[in-house]
């Protein structure tokens, strides 16, 4: 539009002149005779090429589309308006308003008539248009039209971003045209001309200017160009320009990929229609009438409603047609992928994606420095005449460079090296940026996509035709011959389980073979391998192999992995396989140690051999090695920091998550080696029948497909009568019971115990971030230095012992310093919340692991809970129900019917099954009680008590969860309160402990340490004794201060309570923990709980749910609805149980053991302070009593003398005790 307004430029300043004929051709035809709005090319004089079409392309071969009513009216009025009102020719907006007024003036009847004619013409045009779209001419036109659309989108993008860019300078002609445009426009308007005449007039006046005047405009344009270059250089560095270039690159890439798909995949088979699409095609006319006048959304809803009304039979027929078309499509697609065009499409698509990745992510990459000649040319380019050819431009510069002085060349060479060094630094920095990482990631993804697609193509073309691999070993040849000799009937394929069993048997036979027999199989194996290699060579001599090599080279696919390892290539192609996950792109690489750093430096400088480097390293002193250790330490520290950051990223989290998953799978796979003798579960009755029937069908009908045979077998199963089906189920049940017996026997074996331990053991919790790492001792540090030299630990120990004493002492001193620093860091870290949380997780993990292992080890023979009344009923009545209801098909229908019958039964009808349930439960309780007396169960309780602080099961039968909560809360393995951070640490008991701690690195054991301590003598020991005394004195002072703090008081209070509870537990274990000790009777349930126990199962079956909340709610409702008479029965049962319980409790409390236990507990609970106070208020005792009191004080705050004990006993008798636990008088004893 701009060029049409400006007009053609002259004097080579702008593009060649566009004739007024072209300008008129671009305008809309004034006659309204149905001619196209634009033409593909304007008419040209004989001998001239037609001018390029402008504007949206039009297809002259397409059937002309009818004009609607508005187009007809305005088309006829356009020419008249131009004649009557010439000013409308240059004012498009005014012309549009005028045509709108003409349209509004047309009567409605005329509009309706024109619209009806338009609809009739469209009904004729639509089939023509649909047929034309299938012709090659339309496809060629569509491609030209799409290119124009792509170009317009690119122009829109450029226009969008040009607002922020500096304005491009005008040419001399444009500057001149801008100065005279207004004047020329007025003159043309007065003369009745149009927009094309304005451009023509400006072009004529430009041609009339003198060359000097044109040169002035050219110089003005050149000055504007210099300013523009500076501004545009600044703009190139802004984010807006980069954003524009990114959008432009992505748009171009998307357009190119779509164009490739349109051109290269034009012959690809079209995707087949679905059943719904077929319905729309078959019912197109009916749908068109039903949706006439609707919007797209309403039409879609209407079509969906029509589809919902289609019958299932019709849908099934449509689905069958769709499946047939899909099968044909898949075959055609396989053939199409063999085509060369598809391979070209894959390569071109990858090239477009790689170009997009490069332009997006490497735009800011450093530019390579110029060569010496380029630097010379940049310096001297103004000294030569521009242009091409001899004596001009590059040719003249080359001649000048050959004559340059050596000094100038050396100076340019030095500058080039400086630029290269700078370039390498910039490249190193750029490679650490996110842009470069994104480039590498995308580059790898595109290449991998191409390789995978190429693998699929070459699998279809070449891989399937490759010779199959021979057996992999002599044993494989032996197995092949055995299987061939005992091959199953034709059409019958053995199951995997039977194959495994065969291999186990073949392995035992192979082990019994003598050497000559095995040698024969080895010879056969070699012959087969040689024959296979000959087949491979013959295959490689064919043309198909040459084609494969050429295509593999194009796609850069490794040939060896594709053919020589065909099974692995197929496995890779199918996406299967296991192994550690691939390391992510940004994962840090482990740094070299000190010796490798030394080798890298020395090897690059002097080119020494490995032996010479090793000898030189061993001869170096510790001071000379220090710098390499420092460098290695820095690299290690940097690596650890990078790893910490990497583990926080999404890639790091996903990587280690995958690693843990793989390790878990590997652990279970490794543990399965213990299950090689585990019995295999037999198939169910249905599965065994189907497998047997399928084998028979395939034998009798070899062409029958697998799914068809399975369907027929299932139909035969449903057609069986009740007696046949019951017989098969009884046979399957017998096999399953035998399997269960074998499985139980196997679970008692050591192999299963090993499997359970390996499977159930889980990884310990990860150490918290920031935890100090334990340093290496002197020898370990030496071993780390020598890492990678291939020496054994014994050799390294000998080398370490032969080191000079000074070197060894320096290493030992350095290790001690690191140990001291580590101890300080550990002491600080142990006070942190992270350490406390880690210790809790560690203890919890240990507890869970050990209890789980204890369950699998000790509770394998525990009696199983009996089935409920409903399950007993279902098992016993299954056969009768199947006879009464032969229409039932499958286990699900049978189970549903059984549940319905159970719900309809009255409580009286259910009574036999409830009685059986109650009897089974009583048997279970007896078995459970007997089992809990076994050594295995006691061992389990010990493990649970050790790790959880209390048994998870009842300690003995009859001890339940009664209301005596205080009696059930004792924690045999409870932990004492944690010592607070401010509590002073108790010094060693003896001075020898200080001596042993100081000489920890010398390897003293208890015996050698005591001997060294004795050899010190009194004088040598004095230092440690004095140090211990001072430590004890400091400890006592600090502990007194600690006792005064809030934290100290709290700890001492908790510690005293813990000690008291521990004593009670010991007393309980002493008196009541033995086998012969009396057992406390279990508190009986109340009336409501007796009701719940009897009715719970029935209510659950009635509701059809085992959820505790639902069952409890229903039980409460039923209990509330019972009358007083109904409840009285349960109350009488509860009263009888309570009477029995009271009698049992009287017997229990009257036993001597219980009395002694209660007495001991009372003695523990008495407060010493109360006893001391009563002693003070008592009358003055005799001399003997006073002596007793003195002895009591000497024993400590909690002690008492004989008199005090006597007073305490007297007070206890006065207070009274129903259990007689506090009495110690002779009367009570008697």
């Amino acid at each position: 539009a701009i060029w049409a307004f400006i007009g053609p430029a002259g004097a080579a300043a702008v593009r060649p002149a566009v004739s007024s004929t072209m300008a008129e051709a671009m305008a809309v035809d004034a006659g309204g005779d149905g001619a196209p709005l634009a033409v593909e090319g304007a008419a040209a004089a004989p001998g001239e090429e037609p001018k390029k079409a402008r504007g949206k392309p039009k297809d002259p071969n397409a059937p002309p589309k009818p004009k609607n009513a508005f187009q007809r009216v305005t088309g006829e009025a356009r020419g008249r308006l131009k004649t009557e009102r010439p000013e409308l020719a240059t004012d498009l907006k005014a012309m549009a308003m005028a045509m709108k007024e003409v349209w509004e003036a047309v009567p409605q009847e005329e509009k309706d008539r024109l619209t009806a004619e338009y609809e009739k013409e469209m009904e004729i045009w639509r089939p023509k248009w649909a047929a034309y779209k299938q012709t090659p001419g339309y496809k060629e036109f569509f491609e030209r039209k799409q290119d124009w659309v792509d170009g317009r989108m690119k122009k829109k993008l450029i226009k969008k971003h040009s607002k922020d860019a500096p304005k491009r300078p005008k040419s001399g002609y444009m500057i001149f045209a801008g100065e005279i445009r207004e004047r020329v426009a007025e003159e043309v308007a007065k003369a009745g001309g149009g927009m094309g005449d304005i451009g023509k007039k400006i072009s004529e006046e430009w041609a009339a200017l003198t060359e000097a005047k044109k040169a002035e405009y050219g110089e003005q344009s050149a000055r504007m160009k210099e300013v523009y270059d500076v501004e545009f250089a600044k703009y190139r560095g802004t984010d807006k320009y980069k954003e524009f270039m990114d959008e432009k690159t992505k748009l171009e890439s998307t357009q190119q990929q779509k164009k490739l798909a349109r051109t290269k995949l034009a012959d690809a088979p079209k995707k087949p229609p679905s059943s719904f699409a077929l319905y729309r095609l078959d019912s197109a006319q009916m749908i068109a009438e039903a949706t006439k006048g609707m919007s797209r959304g309403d039409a879609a809803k209407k079509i969906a409603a029509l589809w919902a009304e289609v019958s299932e039979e019709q849908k099934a027929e449509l689905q069958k047609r769709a499946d047939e078309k899909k099968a044909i499509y898949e075959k055609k697609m396989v053939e199409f992928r063999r085509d060369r065009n598809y391979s070209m499409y894959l390569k071109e698509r990858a090239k477009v994606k790689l170009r997009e990745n490069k332009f997006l992510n490497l735009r800011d990459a450093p530019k390579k420095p110029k060569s010496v000649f380029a630097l010379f040319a940049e310096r001297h380019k103004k000294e030569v005449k521009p242009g091409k050819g001899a004596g001009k431009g590059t040719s003249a510069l080359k001649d000048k460079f050959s004559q340059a002085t050596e000094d100038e060349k050396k100076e340019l060479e030095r500058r080039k090296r400086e630029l290269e060094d700078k370039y390498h630094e910039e490249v190193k920095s750029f490679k650490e940026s996110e842009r470069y990482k994104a480039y590498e990631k995308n580059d790898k993804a595109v290449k991998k996509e191409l390789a995978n697609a190429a693998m699929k193509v070459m699998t279809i073309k070449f891989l399937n035709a490759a010779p199959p691999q021979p057996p992999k070993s002599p044993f494989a040849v032996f197995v092949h011959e055995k299987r061939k000799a005992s091959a199953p009937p034709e059409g019958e394929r053995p199951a995997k389980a039977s194959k495994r069993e065969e291999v186990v048997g073949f392995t035992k036979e192979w082990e019994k073979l003598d050497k000559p027999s095995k040698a024969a199989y080895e010879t056969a194996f070699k012959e087969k391998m040689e024959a296979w290699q000959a087949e491979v060579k013959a295959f490689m001599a064919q043309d198909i192999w040459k084609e494969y090599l050429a295509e593999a080279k194009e796609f850069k696919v490794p040939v060896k992995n594709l053919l020589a390892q065909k099974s692995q290539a197929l496995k890779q192609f199918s996406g299967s396989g296991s192994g550690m996950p691939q390391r992510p792109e940004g994962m840090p690489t482990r740094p070299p140690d000190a010796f490798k750093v030394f080798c890298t430096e020395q090897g690059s400088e002097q080119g020494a051999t490995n032996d010479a480097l090793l000898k030189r390293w061993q001869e170096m002193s510790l001071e000379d090695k220090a710098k390499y250790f420092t460098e290695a330490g820095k690299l290690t520290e940097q690596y650890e920091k990078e790893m910490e950051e990497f583990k926080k990223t999404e890639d790091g989290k996903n990587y280690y998550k995958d690693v843990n998953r793989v390790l878990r799978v590997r652990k279970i796979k490794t543990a399965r080696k213990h299950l090689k003798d585990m019995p295999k579960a037999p198939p169910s009755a249905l599965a065994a029948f189907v497998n047997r029937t399928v084998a028979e069908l395939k034998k009798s009908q070899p062409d029958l497909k697998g799914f068809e045979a399975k369907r027929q077998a299932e139909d035969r199963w449903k057609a069986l009568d009740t007696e046949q089906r019951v017989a098969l189920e009884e046979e399957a049940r017998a096999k399953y019971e035998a399997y269960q017996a074998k499985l139980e026997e196997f679970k008692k074996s050591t192999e299963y115990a090993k499997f359970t331990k390996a499977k159930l053991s889980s990884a310990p919790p990860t150490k918290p971030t920031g935890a100090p790492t334990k340093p290496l001792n002197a020898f370990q540090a030496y071993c780390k230095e020598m890492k990678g030299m291939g020496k054994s630990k014994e050799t390294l120990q000998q080398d370490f012992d032969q080191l000079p004493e000074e070197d060894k002492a320096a290493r030992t001193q350095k290790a001690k310093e690191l140990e001291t620093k580590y101890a300080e860091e550990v002491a600080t870290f142990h006070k942190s919340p992270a350490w406390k949380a880690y210790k809790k997780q560690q203890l919890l993990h240990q507890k869970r692991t050990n209890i789980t292992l204890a369950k699998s080890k000790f509770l394998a023979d525990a009696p199983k809970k009996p089935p409920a009344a409903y399950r007993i009923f279902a098992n016993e009545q299954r056969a009768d129900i199947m006879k009464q209801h032969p229409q039932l098909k499958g286990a699900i229908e049978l189970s549903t019917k059984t549940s319905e019958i159970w719900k309809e039964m009255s409580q009286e009808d259910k009574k036999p099954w409830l009685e059986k349930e109650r009897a089974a439960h009583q048997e279970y309780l007896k078995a459970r009680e007997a089992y809990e007396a076994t050594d295995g169960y006691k061992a389990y309780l010990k493990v649970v008590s050790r790790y959880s602080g209390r048994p998870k099961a009842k300690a003995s039968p009859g001890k339940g969860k009664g209301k005596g909560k205080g009696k059930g809360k004792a924690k045999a393995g409870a932990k004492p309160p944690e010592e607070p951070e401010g509590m002073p640490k108790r010094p060693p008991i003896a001075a020898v402990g200080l001596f042993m701690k100081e000489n920890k690195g010398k390897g003293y054991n208890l015996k050698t340490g005591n001997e060294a301590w004795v050899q010190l003598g009194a004088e040598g020991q004095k230092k440690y004794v004095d140090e211990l005394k001072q430590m004890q004195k400091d400890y006592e002072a600090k502990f007194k201060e600690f006792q005064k703090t809030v934290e100290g008081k709290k700890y001492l209070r908790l510690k005293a309570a813990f000690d008291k509870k521990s004593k009670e537990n010991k007393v309980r274990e002493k008196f009541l923990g033995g086998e012969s000790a009396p057992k406390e009777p279990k508190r009986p349930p109340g009336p409501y709980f007796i009701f719940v126990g009897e009715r719970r199962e029935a209510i659950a079956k009635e509701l059809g749910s085992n959820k505790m909340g639902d069952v409890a709610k229903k039980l409460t409702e039923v209990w509330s609805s019972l009358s007083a008479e109904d409840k009285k029965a349960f109350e009488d049962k509860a009263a009888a149980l309570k009477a029995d319980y009271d009698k049992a409790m009287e017997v229990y409390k009257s036993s001597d053991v219980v009395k002694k236990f209660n007495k001991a507990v009372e003695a523990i609970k008495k407060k010493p302070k109360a006893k001391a106070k009563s002693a003070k208020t008592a009358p003055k005792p005799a001399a003997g009593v006073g002596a007793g009191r003195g002895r009591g004080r000497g024993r400590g705050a909690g002690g008492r003398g004989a008199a005090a004990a006597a007073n305490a006993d007297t007070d206890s008798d006065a207070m009274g005790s129903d259990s007689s636990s506090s009495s110690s008088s002779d009367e009570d004893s008697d």
Side-chain angles (χ1 to χ4, degrees), residues 42 128 194 321 530 545 592 688 743 785 935 985 1063 1113 1216 1222:
K128 293 183 178 179
R321 287 170 55 194
E530 291 173 357
W545 176 254
L743 185 63
E785 292 178 25
D935 294 336
K985 303 301 179 184
K1063 290 178 182 179
K1113 184 178 179 181
S1222 300

Side-chain angles (χ1 to χ4, degrees), residues 447-603:
K447 291 178 179 177
K448 185 177 181 181
E449 180 188 31
L450 176 63
N452 291 341
M455 179 69 81
K456 292 180 181 180
V457 170
M458 287 185 288
T459 299
I460 295 171
K461 287 185 176 181
F462 314 106
L463 188 60
N464 293 334
Q469 280 188 329
K472 297 182 179 180
S473 65
F475 174 70
V477 178
F478 171 76
V479 171
H480 177 70
E481 290 184 2
K482 285 285 185 180
R483 284 179 171 167
K484 190 175 181 180
S486 59
E490 186 177 355
E492 181 178 348
R493 297 183 63 183
K496 289 184 179 179
S498 62
K499 283 187 176 182
R500 294 194 198 100
E501 293 176 0
E502 279 183 350
V503 171
V504 173
F506 293 153
T507 303
K508 295 178 181 178
E509 292 181 23
W510 173 260
E511 292 173 351
K512 295 178 182 178
L513 291 178
D514 54 5
K515 288 186 177 180
S517 300
K518 290 185 177 180
Y521 282 110
E522 289 178 0
T523 303
F525 166 71
K526 291 179 181 178
E527 292 174 354
K528 289 179 179 292
M529 183 62 70
E530 291 173 357
W532 175 74
Q533 290 174 352
E535 290 178 2
V536 170
K537 290 179 181 178
F539 175 77
M540 294 171 68
Q542 299 175 12
D543 291 338
I544 189 174
W545 176 254
K546 296 177 183 178
E547 296 173 6
Y548 161 69
L549 287 179
E551 193 152 344
K553 186 176 181 181
E554 290 179 8
F555 285 112
K556 299 180 181 179
V557 175
V559 175
K560 182 179 179 181
N561 290 344
L562 185 65
L563 185 63
Q565 300 174 0
K566 178 182 175 184
S567 60
Q568 293 185 11
L570 285 170
K571 191 175 183 180
Q572 179 183 3
F573 171 67
S574 64
S576 61
S578 61
M580 294 300 289
Q582 188 176 4
R583 292 166 63 93
E585 291 292 329
M587 187 173 181
T589 306
R590 189 176 295 279
D593 55 21
F595 177 67
K596 290 182 180 178
V597 174
F598 165 77
C599 292
T600 303
E601 180 184 301
Q602 299 295 320

Side-chain angles (χ1 to χ4, degrees), residues 675-695:
L675 302 181
K676 57 183 179 181
D677 297 330
M678 182 177 176
K680 307 301 179 184
S684 64
L686 174 61
F689 176 83
V690 169
N691 294 338
R692 186 167 57 250
T693 307
V694 166

Side-chain angles (χ1 to χ4, degrees), residues 1072-1130:
L1072 303 179
E1075 287 294 323
S1076 59
K1079 308 302 180 184
E1080 183 178 356
K1082 183 179 179 181
R1083 187 176 294 274
Y1088 172 72
F1089 287 101
I1090 295 174
F1091 162 77
V1092 168
E1094 294 181 3
R1095 301 291 298 274
R1096 181 190 298 275
E1097 188 69 27
I1099 294 295
K1101 295 298 181 293
E1102 182 181 344
L1103 292 175
S1105 171
N1106 287 322
K1107 291 184 178 179
M1108 292 185 63
D1110 298 342
V1111 176
K1113 184 178 179 181
K1114 184 64 177 177
L1115 284 167
T1116 304
E1117 292 176 358
V1118 175
W1119 174 258
S1120 301
S1121 63
L1122 290 179
S1123 64
E1125 294 180 359
D1126 294 335
K1127 289 184 179 179
K1128 191 174 184 304
F1130 299 104

Side-chain angles (χ1 to χ4, degrees), residues 983-994:
M983 183 176 177
K985 303 301 179 184
R986 186 183 296 276
I989 299 174
V992 67
L994 296 175

Side-chain angles (χ1 to χ4, degrees), residues 1142-1156:
D1142 291 340
K1143 292 179 182 179
M1145 280 299 296
E1146 288 179 4
V1147 174
Y1148 173 74
K1149 288 183 178 181
S1150 63
S1151 65
D1152 293 338
V1153 176
V1154 175
K1155 288 180 179 180
K1156 291 178 182 179

